[in-house]
Amino acid sequence: MVHTAGPVFNGTASPLVTRYTQAGVQELADWADGEVHRVLGQVLRHPTGYYESRVTVNRVSGDSIAITDGGVVYGPWLEGISSRNDATRFKGYGTFRRVKERVEKRADRTFAAIFARGGL
């Protein structure tokens, strides 16, 4: 005889997975937001505070969050992805790209910690 019990069998697994996923995504987004601000604090030579104030965390969907500069017109130039970067010596800071790599490296550890502590 096989005894079945637990979230997979009683129908609560899906809500649990959703809660764990949302908690992990939010924790990563909060960390990434702080990391973007930290890196900007290191690389910006004459910060006015405007660009940093435009960096925000936005929920795109239930389990997807985006961190953007809110469409600041010179944002692509600062990142290094503007056509202007080809025409000038300034190649950009690559802040968002560098933080993206760090988030990807941190994701497994973050989700493992959430599961280890029992979720939220």
Side-chain angles (χ1 to χ4, degrees):
M1 172 167 38
V2 176
H3 178 69
T4 58
V8 171
F9 299 102
N10 68 15
T12 60
S14 182
L16 283 174
V17 170
T18 299
R19 281 182 40 208
Y20 277 66
T21 301
Q22 288 176 343
V25 168
Q26 187 63 52
E27 190 168 313
L28 276 172
D30 292 343
W31 180 84
D33 182 47
E35 191 70 1
V36 167
H37 283 92
R38 187 185 69 75
V39 172
L40 287 173
Q42 293 174 341
V43 299
L44 294 177
R45 293 192 179 170
H46 303 287
T48 64
Y50 178 76
Y51 186 72
E52 298 98 304
S53 74
R54 307 308 299 162
V55 174
T56 58
V57 176
N58 303 301
R59 184 165 297 278
V60 178
S61 67
D63 62 353
S64 183
I65 292 178
I67 301 171
T68 71
D69 65 6
V72 173
V73 70
Y74 54 85
W77 181 69
L78 288 176
E79 184 64 17
I81 58 172
S82 168
S83 59
R84 278 191 75 203
N85 296 103
D86 295 333
T88 66
R89 289 186 346 196
F90 180 66
K91 299 305 173 198
Y93 298 123
T95 301
F96 285 88
R97 288 173 288 172
R98 291 190 323 194
V99 170
K100 176 185 176 264
E101 291 173 6
R102 294 175 190 168
V103 166
E104 289 171 352
K105 289 179 183 176
R106 188 179 181 95
D108 288 344
R109 192 170 61 226
T110 299
F111 280 91
I114 287 171
F115 280 101
R117 68 178 181 245
L120 314 171

PDB file of all heavy atoms in Angstrom, residues 52-82:
ATOM      1  N   GLU A  52      19.509  58.326 -10.639  1.00  0.00           N
ATOM      2  CA  GLU A  52      19.329  57.307  -9.609  1.00  0.00           C
ATOM      3  C   GLU A  52      17.881  57.280  -9.109  1.00  0.00           C
ATOM      4  O   GLU A  52      17.349  56.216  -8.797  1.00  0.00           O
ATOM      5  CB  GLU A  52      20.264  57.558  -8.412  1.00  0.00           C
ATOM      6  CG  GLU A  52      21.727  57.486  -8.768  1.00  0.00           C
ATOM      7  CD  GLU A  52      22.319  58.862  -9.003  1.00  0.00           C
ATOM      8  OE1 GLU A  52      21.786  59.612  -9.869  1.00  0.00           O
ATOM      9  OE2 GLU A  52      23.304  59.198  -8.344  1.00  0.00           O
ATOM     10  N   SER A  53      17.253  58.439  -9.054  1.00  0.00           N
ATOM     11  CA  SER A  53      15.869  58.495  -8.572  1.00  0.00           C
ATOM     12  C   SER A  53      14.891  57.862  -9.552  1.00  0.00           C
ATOM     13  O   SER A  53      13.769  57.513  -9.176  1.00  0.00           O
ATOM     14  CB  SER A  53      15.445  59.938  -8.300  1.00  0.00           C
ATOM     15  OG  SER A  53      15.225  60.648  -9.514  1.00  0.00           O
ATOM     16  N   ARG A  54      15.276  57.721 -10.796  1.00  0.00           N
ATOM     17  CA  ARG A  54      14.398  57.139 -11.813  1.00  0.00           C
ATOM     18  C   ARG A  54      14.486  55.617 -11.860  1.00  0.00           C
ATOM     19  O   ARG A  54      13.661  54.961 -12.485  1.00  0.00           O
ATOM     20  CB  ARG A  54      14.718  57.704 -13.198  1.00  0.00           C
ATOM     21  CG  ARG A  54      14.718  59.232 -13.286  1.00  0.00           C
ATOM     22  CD  ARG A  54      13.480  59.887 -12.744  1.00  0.00           C
ATOM     23  NE  ARG A  54      12.296  59.463 -13.465  1.00  0.00           N
ATOM     24  CZ  ARG A  54      11.058  59.589 -13.034  1.00  0.00           C
ATOM     25  NH1 ARG A  54      10.829  60.151 -11.882  1.00  0.00           N
ATOM     26  NH2 ARG A  54      10.057  59.183 -13.756  1.00  0.00           N
ATOM     27  N   VAL A  55      15.484  55.031 -11.234  1.00  0.00           N
ATOM     28  CA  VAL A  55      15.640  53.572 -11.212  1.00  0.00           C
ATOM     29  C   VAL A  55      14.578  53.002 -10.276  1.00  0.00           C
ATOM     30  O   VAL A  55      14.534  53.343  -9.096  1.00  0.00           O
ATOM     31  CB  VAL A  55      17.054  53.161 -10.752  1.00  0.00           C
ATOM     32  CG1 VAL A  55      17.153  51.648 -10.597  1.00  0.00           C
ATOM     33  CG2 VAL A  55      18.094  53.664 -11.748  1.00  0.00           C
ATOM     34  N   THR A  56      13.706  52.160 -10.834  1.00  0.00           N
ATOM     35  CA  THR A  56      12.605  51.604 -10.058  1.00  0.00           C
ATOM     36  C   THR A  56      12.418  50.124 -10.344  1.00  0.00           C
ATOM     37  O   THR A  56      12.837  49.611 -11.386  1.00  0.00           O
ATOM     38  CB  THR A  56      11.273  52.322 -10.377  1.00  0.00           C
ATOM     39  OG1 THR A  56      11.006  52.202 -11.777  1.00  0.00           O
ATOM     40  CG2 THR A  56      11.318  53.777  -9.991  1.00  0.00           C
ATOM     41  N   VAL A  57      11.755  49.460  -9.421  1.00  0.00           N
ATOM     42  CA  VAL A  57      11.371  48.054  -9.557  1.00  0.00           C
ATOM     43  C   VAL A  57       9.905  48.034  -9.959  1.00  0.00           C
ATOM     44  O   VAL A  57       9.070  48.623  -9.286  1.00  0.00           O
ATOM     45  CB  VAL A  57      11.569  47.297  -8.226  1.00  0.00           C
ATOM     46  CG1 VAL A  57      11.082  45.861  -8.343  1.00  0.00           C
ATOM     47  CG2 VAL A  57      13.018  47.350  -7.791  1.00  0.00           C
ATOM     48  N   ASN A  58       9.604  47.357 -11.054  1.00  0.00           N
ATOM     49  CA  ASN A  58       8.228  47.281 -11.559  1.00  0.00           C
ATOM     50  C   ASN A  58       7.822  45.831 -11.770  1.00  0.00           C
ATOM     51  O   ASN A  58       8.562  45.077 -12.411  1.00  0.00           O
ATOM     52  CB  ASN A  58       8.108  48.017 -12.900  1.00  0.00           C
ATOM     53  CG  ASN A  58       8.545  49.450 -12.793  1.00  0.00           C
ATOM     54  OD1 ASN A  58       7.987  50.204 -12.023  1.00  0.00           O
ATOM     55  ND2 ASN A  58       9.567  49.820 -13.548  1.00  0.00           N
ATOM     56  N   ARG A  59       6.652  45.460 -11.246  1.00  0.00           N
ATOM     57  CA  ARG A  59       6.143  44.100 -11.484  1.00  0.00           C
ATOM     58  C   ARG A  59       5.562  44.045 -12.889  1.00  0.00           C
ATOM     59  O   ARG A  59       4.672  44.802 -13.234  1.00  0.00           O
ATOM     60  CB  ARG A  59       5.088  43.735 -10.453  1.00  0.00           C
ATOM     61  CG  ARG A  59       4.613  42.294 -10.608  1.00  0.00           C
ATOM     62  CD  ARG A  59       3.849  41.792  -9.407  1.00  0.00           C
ATOM     63  NE  ARG A  59       4.607  41.741  -8.186  1.00  0.00           N
ATOM     64  CZ  ARG A  59       5.439  40.746  -7.863  1.00  0.00           C
ATOM     65  NH1 ARG A  59       5.624  39.749  -8.688  1.00  0.00           N
ATOM     66  NH2 ARG A  59       6.092  40.771  -6.721  1.00  0.00           N
ATOM     67  N   VAL A  60       6.102  43.141 -13.688  1.00  0.00           N
ATOM     68  CA  VAL A  60       5.653  42.964 -15.068  1.00  0.00           C
ATOM     69  C   VAL A  60       4.510  41.960 -15.111  1.00  0.00           C
ATOM     70  O   VAL A  60       3.546  42.128 -15.839  1.00  0.00           O
ATOM     71  CB  VAL A  60       6.828  42.500 -15.966  1.00  0.00           C
ATOM     72  CG1 VAL A  60       6.373  42.263 -17.387  1.00  0.00           C
ATOM     73  CG2 VAL A  60       7.952  43.515 -15.918  1.00  0.00           C
ATOM     74  N   SER A  61       4.631  40.895 -14.325  1.00  0.00           N
ATOM     75  CA  SER A  61       3.579  39.890 -14.206  1.00  0.00           C
ATOM     76  C   SER A  61       3.699  39.284 -12.813  1.00  0.00           C
ATOM     77  O   SER A  61       4.525  39.719 -12.016  1.00  0.00           O
ATOM     78  CB  SER A  61       3.716  38.825 -15.301  1.00  0.00           C
ATOM     79  OG  SER A  61       4.887  38.065 -15.095  1.00  0.00           O
ATOM     80  N   GLY A  62       2.918  38.262 -12.545  1.00  0.00           N
ATOM     81  CA  GLY A  62       2.926  37.646 -11.225  1.00  0.00           C
ATOM     82  C   GLY A  62       4.288  37.183 -10.762  1.00  0.00           C
ATOM     83  O   GLY A  62       4.627  37.294  -9.595  1.00  0.00           O
ATOM     84  N   ASP A  63       5.087  36.653 -11.671  1.00  0.00           N
ATOM     85  CA  ASP A  63       6.399  36.148 -11.271  1.00  0.00           C
ATOM     86  C   ASP A  63       7.543  36.802 -12.045  1.00  0.00           C
ATOM     87  O   ASP A  63       8.624  36.242 -12.172  1.00  0.00           O
ATOM     88  CB  ASP A  63       6.459  34.630 -11.431  1.00  0.00           C
ATOM     89  CG  ASP A  63       6.259  34.187 -12.876  1.00  0.00           C
ATOM     90  OD1 ASP A  63       5.940  35.033 -13.724  1.00  0.00           O
ATOM     91  OD2 ASP A  63       6.440  32.988 -13.152  1.00  0.00           O
ATOM     92  N   SER A  64       7.326  38.004 -12.527  1.00  0.00           N
ATOM     93  CA  SER A  64       8.347  38.704 -13.307  1.00  0.00           C
ATOM     94  C   SER A  64       8.419  40.166 -12.898  1.00  0.00           C
ATOM     95  O   SER A  64       7.402  40.855 -12.845  1.00  0.00           O
ATOM     96  CB  SER A  64       8.022  38.584 -14.800  1.00  0.00           C
ATOM     97  OG  SER A  64       9.017  39.196 -15.566  1.00  0.00           O
ATOM     98  N   ILE A  65       9.640  40.604 -12.602  1.00  0.00           N
ATOM     99  CA  ILE A  65       9.862  41.980 -12.168  1.00  0.00           C
ATOM    100  C   ILE A  65      10.963  42.576 -13.031  1.00  0.00           C
ATOM    101  O   ILE A  65      11.935  41.906 -13.369  1.00  0.00           O
ATOM    102  CB  ILE A  65      10.246  42.026 -10.677  1.00  0.00           C
ATOM    103  CG1 ILE A  65       9.044  41.605  -9.837  1.00  0.00           C
ATOM    104  CG2 ILE A  65      10.723  43.401 -10.267  1.00  0.00           C
ATOM    105  CD1 ILE A  65       9.289  41.555  -8.355  1.00  0.00           C
ATOM    106  N   ALA A  66      10.817  43.840 -13.396  1.00  0.00           N
ATOM    107  CA  ALA A  66      11.838  44.536 -14.191  1.00  0.00           C
ATOM    108  C   ALA A  66      12.356  45.729 -13.391  1.00  0.00           C
ATOM    109  O   ALA A  66      11.593  46.415 -12.719  1.00  0.00           O
ATOM    110  CB  ALA A  66      11.249  45.021 -15.507  1.00  0.00           C
ATOM    111  N   ILE A  67      13.654  45.944 -13.492  1.00  0.00           N
ATOM    112  CA  ILE A  67      14.267  47.126 -12.891  1.00  0.00           C
ATOM    113  C   ILE A  67      14.712  47.995 -14.054  1.00  0.00           C
ATOM    114  O   ILE A  67      15.489  47.554 -14.904  1.00  0.00           O
ATOM    115  CB  ILE A  67      15.451  46.744 -11.998  1.00  0.00           C
ATOM    116  CG1 ILE A  67      14.969  45.812 -10.902  1.00  0.00           C
ATOM    117  CG2 ILE A  67      16.111  47.993 -11.416  1.00  0.00           C
ATOM    118  CD1 ILE A  67      16.063  45.210 -10.085  1.00  0.00           C
ATOM    119  N   THR A  68      14.186  49.212 -14.110  1.00  0.00           N
ATOM    120  CA  THR A  68      14.474  50.089 -15.244  1.00  0.00           C
ATOM    121  C   THR A  68      14.858  51.483 -14.761  1.00  0.00           C
ATOM    122  O   THR A  68      14.706  51.807 -13.588  1.00  0.00           O
ATOM    123  CB  THR A  68      13.250  50.237 -16.167  1.00  0.00           C
ATOM    124  OG1 THR A  68      12.258  51.021 -15.500  1.00  0.00           O
ATOM    125  CG2 THR A  68      12.676  48.889 -16.569  1.00  0.00           C
ATOM    126  N   ASP A  69      15.313  52.280 -15.711  1.00  0.00           N
ATOM    127  CA  ASP A  69      15.605  53.679 -15.406  1.00  0.00           C
ATOM    128  C   ASP A  69      14.431  54.572 -15.786  1.00  0.00           C
ATOM    129  O   ASP A  69      14.571  55.787 -15.874  1.00  0.00           O
ATOM    130  CB  ASP A  69      16.892  54.147 -16.077  1.00  0.00           C
ATOM    131  CG  ASP A  69      16.812  54.145 -17.598  1.00  0.00           C
ATOM    132  OD1 ASP A  69      15.719  53.895 -18.159  1.00  0.00           O
ATOM    133  OD2 ASP A  69      17.843  54.394 -18.237  1.00  0.00           O
ATOM    134  N   GLY A  70      13.286  53.975 -16.009  1.00  0.00           N
ATOM    135  CA  GLY A  70      12.077  54.734 -16.303  1.00  0.00           C
ATOM    136  C   GLY A  70      12.082  55.430 -17.645  1.00  0.00           C
ATOM    137  O   GLY A  70      11.314  56.343 -17.876  1.00  0.00           O
ATOM    138  N   GLY A  71      12.980  55.025 -18.541  1.00  0.00           N
ATOM    139  CA  GLY A  71      13.020  55.621 -19.869  1.00  0.00           C
ATOM    140  C   GLY A  71      13.753  56.949 -19.928  1.00  0.00           C
ATOM    141  O   GLY A  71      13.512  57.747 -20.842  1.00  0.00           O
ATOM    142  N   VAL A  72      14.658  57.198 -18.990  1.00  0.00           N
ATOM    143  CA  VAL A  72      15.455  58.435 -19.034  1.00  0.00           C
ATOM    144  C   VAL A  72      16.156  58.491 -20.388  1.00  0.00           C
ATOM    145  O   VAL A  72      16.753  57.521 -20.827  1.00  0.00           O
ATOM    146  CB  VAL A  72      16.485  58.474 -17.884  1.00  0.00           C
ATOM    147  CG1 VAL A  72      17.423  59.659 -18.025  1.00  0.00           C
ATOM    148  CG2 VAL A  72      15.775  58.499 -16.547  1.00  0.00           C
ATOM    149  N   VAL A  73      16.069  59.629 -21.051  1.00  0.00           N
ATOM    150  CA  VAL A  73      16.531  59.744 -22.431  1.00  0.00           C
ATOM    151  C   VAL A  73      18.015  59.407 -22.590  1.00  0.00           C
ATOM    152  O   VAL A  73      18.419  58.841 -23.599  1.00  0.00           O
ATOM    153  CB  VAL A  73      16.185  61.136 -23.015  1.00  0.00           C
ATOM    154  CG1 VAL A  73      17.021  62.225 -22.362  1.00  0.00           C
ATOM    155  CG2 VAL A  73      16.333  61.156 -24.515  1.00  0.00           C
ATOM    156  N   TYR A  74      18.832  59.697 -21.605  1.00  0.00           N
ATOM    157  CA  TYR A  74      20.256  59.402 -21.726  1.00  0.00           C
ATOM    158  C   TYR A  74      20.639  58.065 -21.071  1.00  0.00           C
ATOM    159  O   TYR A  74      21.814  57.717 -20.986  1.00  0.00           O
ATOM    160  CB  TYR A  74      21.112  60.551 -21.162  1.00  0.00           C
ATOM    161  CG  TYR A  74      20.778  60.961 -19.753  1.00  0.00           C
ATOM    162  CD1 TYR A  74      21.330  60.301 -18.654  1.00  0.00           C
ATOM    163  CD2 TYR A  74      19.912  62.015 -19.514  1.00  0.00           C
ATOM    164  CE1 TYR A  74      21.029  60.682 -17.362  1.00  0.00           C
ATOM    165  CE2 TYR A  74      19.603  62.410 -18.223  1.00  0.00           C
ATOM    166  CZ  TYR A  74      20.168  61.739 -17.144  1.00  0.00           C
ATOM    167  OH  TYR A  74      19.873  62.114 -15.866  1.00  0.00           O
ATOM    168  N   GLY A  75      19.652  57.309 -20.631  1.00  0.00           N
ATOM    169  CA  GLY A  75      19.895  55.999 -20.027  1.00  0.00           C
ATOM    170  C   GLY A  75      20.659  55.043 -20.928  1.00  0.00           C
ATOM    171  O   GLY A  75      21.635  54.422 -20.486  1.00  0.00           O
ATOM    172  N   PRO A  76      20.255  54.884 -22.204  1.00  0.00           N
ATOM    173  CA  PRO A  76      21.002  53.988 -23.090  1.00  0.00           C
ATOM    174  C   PRO A  76      22.469  54.411 -23.254  1.00  0.00           C
ATOM    175  O   PRO A  76      23.361  53.561 -23.346  1.00  0.00           O
ATOM    176  CB  PRO A  76      20.241  54.079 -24.422  1.00  0.00           C
ATOM    177  CG  PRO A  76      18.848  54.445 -24.017  1.00  0.00           C
ATOM    178  CD  PRO A  76      19.016  55.364 -22.829  1.00  0.00           C
ATOM    179  N   TRP A  77      22.723  55.706 -23.261  1.00  0.00           N
ATOM    180  CA  TRP A  77      24.098  56.197 -23.382  1.00  0.00           C
ATOM    181  C   TRP A  77      24.908  55.818 -22.142  1.00  0.00           C
ATOM    182  O   TRP A  77      26.040  55.348 -22.245  1.00  0.00           O
ATOM    183  CB  TRP A  77      24.087  57.717 -23.593  1.00  0.00           C
ATOM    184  CG  TRP A  77      25.442  58.322 -23.747  1.00  0.00           C
ATOM    185  CD1 TRP A  77      26.302  58.159 -24.786  1.00  0.00           C
ATOM    186  CD2 TRP A  77      26.086  59.186 -22.823  1.00  0.00           C
ATOM    187  NE1 TRP A  77      27.454  58.870 -24.568  1.00  0.00           N
ATOM    188  CE2 TRP A  77      27.345  59.521 -23.356  1.00  0.00           C
ATOM    189  CE3 TRP A  77      25.722  59.730 -21.597  1.00  0.00           C
ATOM    190  CZ2 TRP A  77      28.244  60.355 -22.709  1.00  0.00           C
ATOM    191  CZ3 TRP A  77      26.615  60.568 -20.954  1.00  0.00           C
ATOM    192  CH2 TRP A  77      27.858  60.868 -21.513  1.00  0.00           C
ATOM    193  N   LEU A  78      24.310  55.992 -20.947  1.00  0.00           N
ATOM    194  CA  LEU A  78      25.005  55.606 -19.720  1.00  0.00           C
ATOM    195  C   LEU A  78      25.260  54.109 -19.665  1.00  0.00           C
ATOM    196  O   LEU A  78      26.292  53.660 -19.178  1.00  0.00           O
ATOM    197  CB  LEU A  78      24.207  56.030 -18.482  1.00  0.00           C
ATOM    198  CG  LEU A  78      24.154  57.516 -18.167  1.00  0.00           C
ATOM    199  CD1 LEU A  78      23.248  57.765 -16.971  1.00  0.00           C
ATOM    200  CD2 LEU A  78      25.548  58.074 -17.912  1.00  0.00           C
ATOM    201  N   GLU A  79      24.306  53.332 -20.181  1.00  0.00           N
ATOM    202  CA  GLU A  79      24.455  51.876 -20.185  1.00  0.00           C
ATOM    203  C   GLU A  79      25.471  51.420 -21.222  1.00  0.00           C
ATOM    204  O   GLU A  79      26.095  50.380 -21.073  1.00  0.00           O
ATOM    205  CB  GLU A  79      23.099  51.211 -20.414  1.00  0.00           C
ATOM    206  CG  GLU A  79      23.102  49.706 -20.349  1.00  0.00           C
ATOM    207  CD  GLU A  79      23.466  49.140 -18.982  1.00  0.00           C
ATOM    208  OE1 GLU A  79      23.425  49.856 -17.962  1.00  0.00           O
ATOM    209  OE2 GLU A  79      23.819  47.953 -18.937  1.00  0.00           O
ATOM    210  N   GLY A  80      25.622  52.207 -22.299  1.00  0.00           N
ATOM    211  CA  GLY A  80      26.575  51.845 -23.351  1.00  0.00           C
ATOM    212  C   GLY A  80      25.940  51.155 -24.534  1.00  0.00           C
ATOM    213  O   GLY A  80      26.616  50.479 -25.307  1.00  0.00           O
ATOM    214  N   ILE A  81      24.633  51.323 -24.699  1.00  0.00           N
ATOM    215  CA  ILE A  81      23.930  50.644 -25.797  1.00  0.00           C
ATOM    216  C   ILE A  81      23.345  51.631 -26.799  1.00  0.00           C
ATOM    217  O   ILE A  81      22.560  51.249 -27.661  1.00  0.00           O
ATOM    218  CB  ILE A  81      22.831  49.712 -25.256  1.00  0.00           C
ATOM    219  CG1 ILE A  81      21.819  50.489 -24.410  1.00  0.00           C
ATOM    220  CG2 ILE A  81      23.437  48.569 -24.458  1.00  0.00           C
ATOM    221  CD1 ILE A  81      20.590  49.697 -24.000  1.00  0.00           C
ATOM    222  N   SER A  82      23.756  52.885 -26.718  1.00  0.00           N
ATOM    223  CA  SER A  82      23.265  53.918 -27.627  1.00  0.00           C
ATOM    224  C   SER A  82      24.194  54.045 -28.832  1.00  0.00           C
ATOM    225  O   SER A  82      25.391  53.768 -28.742  1.00  0.00           O
ATOM    226  CB  SER A  82      23.206  55.253 -26.881  1.00  0.00           C
ATOM    227  OG  SER A  82      23.006  56.329 -27.768  1.00  0.00           O
TER     228      SER A  82
END
